[in-house]
Amino acid sequence: MANAANTSAVATVATVATVANDNAQKQRTYPRMVTPKAIKEGSNKNGTPFVSFVGEYTRRGASKPSTMLHTASGKSLESIREQLKEGQPIRVFGVFEKMPATEDRSEGDVFRIIGLSTPRENAPGEAVQTEMKEAA
């Protein structure tokens, strides 16, 4: 009987892990070129350093720039820190999240930066094919 209880507990833990992984995989990331303005640094209640700033970016198909609150913390902040300068565009990727309301601010959307976005390079196979075409 104890063995059946252990099997049930293991199955429950595995199910929870699967659901958590599925949720993480369903969250789509978006690349963005953003220009930081009004950068603020601090630490959250766990002591993790974070940065938040109003970022100016241009939406696809739009002619004028939009602004949105952007945040980065922990490893994400470490990955962008060298390039994070006020008024200097930076290419990042991240996810959209809702920031809960507090007594100081109302609820709003925030773009949570995950890391630097690098342009895709040509795959090695493509480079070889290009060289062959040029030689012909």
Side-chain angles (χ1 to χ4, degrees), residues 25-36:
Q25 290 169 356
K26 288 180 183 177
Q27 196 168 23
R28 182 167 178 204
T29 61
Y30 297 90
R32 173 177 283 186
M33 178 70 87
V34 62
T35 304

Side-chain angles (χ1 to χ4, degrees), residues 65-116:
S66 300
T67 59
M68 179 179 227
L69 183 63
H70 291 68
T71 64
S73 64
K75 291 181 182 179
S76 302
L77 176 57
E78 290 173 25
S79 71
I80 67 167
R81 190 175 290 279
E82 288 182 22
Q83 296 186 19
L84 188 62
K85 294 178 179 62
E86 190 146 343
Q88 178 181 327
I90 181 173
R91 185 178 301 275
V92 297
F93 71 98
V95 295
F96 292 98
E97 293 184 341
K98 285 277 186 203
M99 187 154 46
T102 65
E103 61 270 352
D104 298 334
R105 65 169 189 265
S106 59
E107 180 180 85
D109 291 330
V110 63
F111 188 80
R112 182 172 52 88
I113 296 171
I114 296 175
L116 286 175

